[in-house]
Amino acid sequence: MHRNWAGNLTYAAGDLVRPTSLEQLAEALTGTGRVRALGSRHSFNDVADTDGVHVQVDALDDGRPAVDVLDADGAQTGVVSVNAGLRHGEVSRALHATGRGLANLASLPHISVAGAVATATHGSGDRNQSLASAVVGLELMTPSGELRRLTRAEHPDVFPGAVVSLGALGVVTRLELATVPTYSVRQDVAADLPWDTFLESFDELTSAAYSVSAFTSWDEPAVRHVWFKQVVGLDGGAPPELPGLRWSAVPVHPLPGVDPSACTEQLGVPGPWHERLSHFRLEHTPSAGDELQSEYLLPRRNVAAAVEAMRRLGPRVAPLLATSEIRTIAPDDLWLSPFDEPSVGLHFTWLPREAEVRAVLPAMEEALLPLGARPHWGKVCDVDGPELAALFPRFDDFRKLALTFDPDGRLHGGLVGRLLS
Ligand SMILES: Cc1cc2nc3c(=O)[nH]c(=O)nc-3n(C[C@H](O)[C@H](O)[C@H](O)COP(=O)(O)OP(=O)(O)OC[C@H]3O[C@@H](n4cnc5c(N)ncnc54)[C@H](O)[C@@H]3O)c2cc1C
């Protein structure tokens, strides 16, 4: 019996295998029982679950370098092929060493690349798309043991359906990611920004830096912190000048009162992109560990209504919260991505009081779903099964695609079983 990272879920899977070769992976996949890919176990719901066998590809060696910056002809094109089981932090370090970078990162570098891509994991930034949007090609093994390679260029009809896959098409072994030249970022944190100023200047604030995140517990009179991550040389070498910003003179943690030593460096000190874009350092145990998360992604044009709705719910929500984060995300064309237009994310890091958290979610969804909100695929929500599938206009296309890869439903399990059955 094994559990997810937060410890709130014991997987129904009877076994966990970590193949070291493609032959061993094929052996694990072929047969008659249920099987499913497991990443670094950072999802808070049962999106990764199965009542059969879990397969992790973090030890897989297919004969190529784990981070391969060269294409088949030995040229460096900027597209990098990575072992799908690697953590973002590991890929980032290897890329930076070769002078390349990823456009964006999630708050935590410990999450596997395949797991992040499969659930449309995102960072922040008006011009930054989800991490899945960097994928230009992927290799996966289907339940019949067939290794297939799909690319955006060669399979334009199905590729946007195959990237955010929830693990329902097969076990992804390699991901081909578009990269950019490596870059430097400085991080500055402003404190206590009044809500009125925040909403009135929302567009100026979120466009004032490459990546912007606001932290609150919804019952406070002001937004507690706004984190600005600026590309040095592009956004300038000083913190943004906007009315109402008071810069913190000391480093802060997203959770009030927690020692910030686990966080990436702040106070405007420039550093490589991968040591600033995530909120947490790779070498530190992230966050409080014992937590739950929910997140709702909704059209950016509805941010004021969503913030007002959440502030009304503040007295119910705040006692259960460790912290909450507001982020912006650029749109993409991926079928199961919640970002089909410029979007905003309302993220909730909860105290590990699951029954109470689940009790407040219906009220939040009653307020947010009519504003176009969709839950994060890997976090705790109330809406489930067909009702959840119906929030994604391309879900029926995805169902048909999944059927062609997995005609017997052997990859169904947990949330994915409830969505597809
Ligand atoms: C502390 C913390 C911080 C977080 N921060 C962010 C954030 O900043 N932004 C954000 O959007 N999310 C964030 N998340 C959520 C997280 O990114 C997602 O839950 C993500 O899916 C976790 O990836 P994982 O590797 O742990 O996948 P798992 O939870 O193990 O699996 C998730 C899904 O990916 C599939 N999958 C995994 N590996 C493969 C594979 N090789 N082939 C096919 N499918 C596969 C699984 O089948 C499953 O459907 C955070 C989570 C935690 C715990």
Side-chain angles (χ1 to χ4, degrees), residues 5 36-44 47-48 57 106-108 111-112 114-116 118-119 121-122 166-167 170-172 291 293 295 327 376 378-379:
W5 172 84
R36 198 155 172 73
L38 183 67
S40 49
R41 301 179 295 110
H42 283 100
S43 293
F44 295 86
V47 66
V57 292
S107 64
L108 188 73
I111 295 167
S112 87
T119 58
T121 287
H122 62 91
L166 310 179
V171 176
V172 177
E291 65 181 50
Q293 292 184 12
E295 187 167 15
R327 310 176 107 178
H376 190 298
K379 302 187 182 181

Side-chain angles (χ1 to χ4, degrees), residues 137-355:
L138 58 85
E139 290 172 34
L140 62 77
M141 195 176 278
T142 67
S144 62
E146 184 193 357
L147 195 60
R148 293 185 58 179
R149 178 169 178 265
L150 297 175
T151 67
R152 185 174 269 284
E154 290 162 279
H155 309 91
D157 295 344
V158 295
F159 190 75
V163 181
V164 179
S165 71
L166 310 179
L169 307 186
V171 176
V172 177
T173 57
R174 304 284 302 194
L175 285 161
E176 294 164 34
L177 307 173
T179 65
V180 295
T182 192
Y183 53 102
S184 291
V185 175
R186 61 173 288 160
Q187 182 166 230
D188 300 271
V189 177
D192 300 325
L193 183 66
W195 277 108
D196 286 350
T197 316
F198 177 76
L199 287 178
E200 279 157 19
S201 57
F202 188 73
D203 289 345
E204 289 87 335
L205 277 171
T206 63
S207 62
Y210 187 71
S211 168
V212 177
S213 290
F215 289 90
T216 177
S217 56
W218 302 108
D219 63 343
E220 298 156 321
V223 178
R224 188 183 336 116
H225 290 139
V226 187
W227 293 36
F228 293 88
K229 299 171 193 258
Q230 291 174 280
V231 174
V232 175
L234 185 69
D235 295 317
E241 283 182 32
L242 287 173
L245 296 183
R246 283 195 315 107
W247 297 105
S248 175
V250 291
V252 298
H253 191 285
L255 276 55
V258 176
D259 177 2
S261 59
C263 297
T264 49
E265 191 154 357
Q266 302 164 28
L267 306 182
V269 180
W273 57 279
H274 62 292
E275 295 178 7
R276 297 293 181 277
L277 288 179
S278 291
H279 300 329
F280 301 103
R281 296 172 194 259
L282 180 61
E283 61 276 17
H284 277 75
T285 304
S287 206
D290 204 7
E291 65 181 50
L292 294 173
Q293 292 184 12
S294 303
E295 187 167 15
Y296 295 94
L297 297 318
L298 60 131
R300 180 190 175 107
R301 56 192 157 80
N302 290 335
V303 65
V307 163
E308 277 159 25
M310 281 315 306
R311 288 191 69 203
R312 277 196 296 277
L313 287 167
R316 282 188 69 187
V317 163
L320 302 172
L321 267 184
T323 193
S324 195
E325 181 176 2
I326 304 170
R327 310 176 107 178
T328 62
I329 307 100
D332 61 52
D333 67 346
L334 304 174
W335 295 356
L336 293 196
S337 156
F339 312 115
D340 41 22
E341 62 175 285
S343 298
V344 66
L346 305 186
H347 159 94
F348 304 83
T349 301
W350 303 107
L351 301 172
R353 290 157 56 178
E354 186 156 356

